[in-house]
Amino acid sequence: MDGKYGTDALRLALTIGITPGNDGSLSEKKVESYRNFCNKLWNVARFIVDKAGAGYQPSKPVPASLPDHWILQRFSRENLAITKAIEAYRFSEAGERAYSLLWNDLADWYLEASKDQGNIGVLVYALETVLQLAHPFAPFVTEAIWQNMPWQSII
């Protein structure tokens, strides 16, 4: 694989879909798919940072629409589920949930619903939260994104 995909993609491929006591398969295609996840994370971050602008000041997210309420509820539920899975050493489950939260809920659904008139506070909250939830599985890309956000916010 020769440095083609990155450490985070390999870490994700070795964590997600692997359960204790079972042999897990590892292929270049699997590592490549997790490289695509890391790219998706970068693209989502770039979109949200651009929407927020350089002068953004962090604030508590205030839902203003049905999609805002939905994504905040989804993040609350998944944050709890991912935390419980990690605390119970079910890393594969936690990783799958973080992957789905970013790809299916945030990128494919909420960002599409928010492209024209996004709620910046909710978008930033979602980005910061997904970075924190994905950090145990993709520490390099999440840290690089976090360090490049123009605002300094700690949730």
Side-chain angles (χ1 to χ4, degrees):
M1 288 182 248
D2 230 3
K4 225 166 37 169
Y5 302 109
T7 304
D8 283 342
L10 180 60
R11 180 189 313 267
L12 286 158
L14 290 170
T15 305
I16 298 175
I18 306 292
T19 55
N22 293 321
D23 292 334
S25 65
L26 180 65
S27 67
E28 189 167 348
K29 189 172 180 83
K30 185 175 181 184
V31 177
E32 183 179 346
S33 74
Y34 288 111
R35 181 209 51 202
N36 295 342
F37 170 80
C38 292
N39 287 342
K40 178 68 85 172
L41 191 54
W42 270 111
N43 291 336
V44 165
R46 186 176 19 235
F47 174 80
I48 293 172
V49 168
D50 286 348
K51 277 273 199 200
Y56 174 77
Q57 292 297 315
S59 61
K60 184 177 178 182
V62 178
S65 67
L66 193 56
D68 292 346
H69 285 282
W70 181 84
I71 199 69
L72 290 173
Q73 275 187 329
R74 188 80 178 118
F75 266 78
S76 178
R77 264 195 322 269
E78 286 305 304
N79 191 351
L80 183 61
I82 291 167
T83 301
K84 282 184 177 181
I86 289 172
E87 289 172 349
Y89 303 103
R90 296 189 317 267
F91 301 117
S92 179
E93 176 189 337
E96 287 172 6
R97 285 180 169 278
Y99 179 98
S100 179
L101 184 64
L102 169 72
W103 200 289
N104 301 328
D105 299 328
L106 181 57
D108 285 352
W109 194 86
Y110 184 70
L111 287 185
E112 290 302 318
S114 300
K115 280 207 174 168
D116 293 330
Q117 47 189 355
N119 183 329
I120 302 303
V122 173
L123 286 167
V124 169
Y125 169 80
L127 174 60
E128 290 179 344
T129 303
V130 83
L131 288 174
Q132 291 171 5
L133 293 172
H135 189 71
F137 311 102
F140 297 110
V141 70
T142 55
E143 184 66 23
I145 292 167
W146 190 275
Q147 293 300 322
N148 286 303
M149 292 188 299
W151 58 88
Q152 296 299 315
S153 175
I154 298 176
I155 295 176

